């Protein structure tokens, strides 16, 4: 896909401890311009070789600089950071719902679930067929179901509509994992509430420190005691879907 890059770097300590859903915070240049680091969900890990992979799209100056990294270069990386996904009990069917580049963190989770013998379905959506990253990959125990806005691959419409159609058809899932654009996650949360489904979502937010000190990545959350705020970098980026105060 034009403008999308997969970057792997050697970081044995991160590779040994990172869990699906956690992220790394990269300094994208060798100077103080750009000043802030960029957060990236971990896309894949090779614990034996000590490598970590991220998947990103060039959307600004920072990611454009990162796209110019070449073999032999050195990256300043903090990680693993944040709270990752909760793994379910074995043998329970699960659903993964990915919108666009939301497939980046879910791919790591998908491989971990398959390795644990857990089965289920991956619902993957994008605007058009050429944007369905990794759609040709097969994962044991998981059925990949595709949706595109223009109908060039799979279901014509949103990935949330495709997921909902499976529920209408009688499919049931013990747990749902999701990542993607905020409007997609909000729509999915509505469907999950209607069908009384539990699950977790990976939220994206602009970050400065990535460690929970600056509070710039706060997001609304809710509980039995009322509403408040949580830090996406430290309290997330993965949250139970019922805890997010969807606006």
């Amino acid at each position: 896909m034009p403008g999308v890059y997969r970057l792997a770097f050697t970081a044995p300590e991160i590779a040994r401890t990172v869990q699906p859903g956690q992220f790394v915070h990269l300094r994208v240049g060798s100077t103080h311009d750009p000043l802030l680091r960029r957060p990236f969900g971990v896309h894949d890990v090779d614990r034996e070789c000590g490598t970590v992979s991220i998947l990103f799209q060039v959307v600004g100056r920072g990611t454009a600089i990162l796209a110019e990294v070449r073999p032999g270069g050195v990256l300043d990386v903090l990680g693993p950071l944040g709270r990752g996904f909760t793994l379910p009990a074995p043998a329970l069917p699960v659903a993964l719902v990915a919108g666009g580049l939301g497939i980046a963190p879910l791919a790591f989770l998908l491989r971990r679930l398959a390795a644990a013998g857990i089965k289920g379905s991956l619902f993957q959506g994008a605007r058009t067929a050429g944007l369905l990253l990794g759609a040709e990959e097969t994962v044991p125990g998981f059925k990949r179901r595709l949706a595109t806005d223009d109908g060039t691959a799979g279901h014509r419409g949103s990935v949330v509509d495709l997921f909902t159609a499976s529920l209408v058809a009688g499919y049931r899932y013990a747990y749902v994992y999701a990542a993607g654009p905020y409007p997609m996650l909000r729509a999915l949360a509505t469907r999950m509430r209607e069908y009384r489904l539990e699950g977790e979502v990976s939220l994206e937010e602009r970050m400065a420190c990535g460690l929970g000190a600056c509070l710039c990545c706060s997001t609304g959350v809710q509980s039995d005691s009322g509403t408040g705020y949580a830090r996406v970098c430290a309290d997330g980026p993965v949250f139970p879907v019922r805890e997010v105060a969807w606006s």
Side-chain angles (χ1 to χ4, degrees):
M1 173 179 167
V4 173
Y5 294 80
R6 183 177 183 272
L7 186 151
F9 54 88
T10 302
E13 292 185 6
I14 296 177
R16 184 174 63 251
T17 59
V18 67
Q19 299 299 318
Q22 290 187 298
F23 69 97
V24 290
H25 218 200
L26 273 66
R27 184 176 177 182
V28 298
S30 58
T31 68
H32 293 298
D33 183 22
L35 177 63
L36 299 180
R37 293 173 178 267
R38 301 306 196 263
F40 298 96
V42 174
H43 177 61
D44 198 10
V45 169
D46 188 325
R47 300 195 192 279
E48 184 176 345
C49 295
T51 58
V52 178
S53 298
I54 61 173
L55 188 71
F56 67 94
Q57 184 174 14
V58 174
V59 294
R61 185 163 175 264
T63 45
I65 293 173
L66 189 61
E68 296 299 321
V69 172
R70 293 294 178 263
V74 177
L75 291 173
D76 186 329
V77 184
L78 294 177
L81 300 176
R83 182 176 69 174
F85 292 107
T86 302
L87 298 184
L92 295 178
V94 300
L96 282 71
V97 185
L101 279 178
I103 191 63
L106 290 183
F108 182 18
L109 173 65
L110 181 63
R111 298 182 186 101
R112 179 63 62 83
L113 292 172
I118 298 169
K119 299 180 180 181
S121 297
L122 168 63
F123 298 86
Q124 184 177 355
R127 295 192 306 275
T128 189
L131 306 182
L132 289 168
L133 301 170
E136 71 286 350
E137 180 183 1
T138 59
V139 178
F142 278 83
K143 181 177 181 180
R144 189 183 298 257
R145 305 184 181 191
L146 305 177
T148 50
D149 293 344
D150 61 4
T152 51
H155 169 80
R156 183 186 183 94
S158 76
V159 69
V160 175
D161 290 342
L162 177 61
F163 173 71
T164 304
S166 75
L167 298 177
V168 173
Y171 289 90
R172 291 295 178 265
Y173 307 99
Y175 214 67
V176 180
Y177 302 94
Y182 189 90
M184 184 215 90
L185 296 179
R186 181 174 55 195
L188 178 66
T190 299
R191 296 293 179 268
M192 290 176 62
R193 185 167 57 251
E194 292 173 357
Y195 284 86
R196 299 181 180 180
L197 293 172
E198 296 292 329
E200 295 173 333
V201 294
S202 177
L203 299 182
E204 295 182 359
E205 191 58 72
R206 291 182 180 273
M207 298 180 186
C209 72
L211 302 171
C214 68
L215 306 180
C216 78
C217 64
S218 297
T219 189
V221 293
Q222 57 190 4
S223 64
D224 293 338
S225 59
T227 59
Y229 290 92
R231 302 160 299 176
V232 172
C233 67
D235 303 312
V238 174
F239 291 89
V241 66
R242 65 177 181 276
E243 290 185 5
V244 179
W246 301 100
S247 60

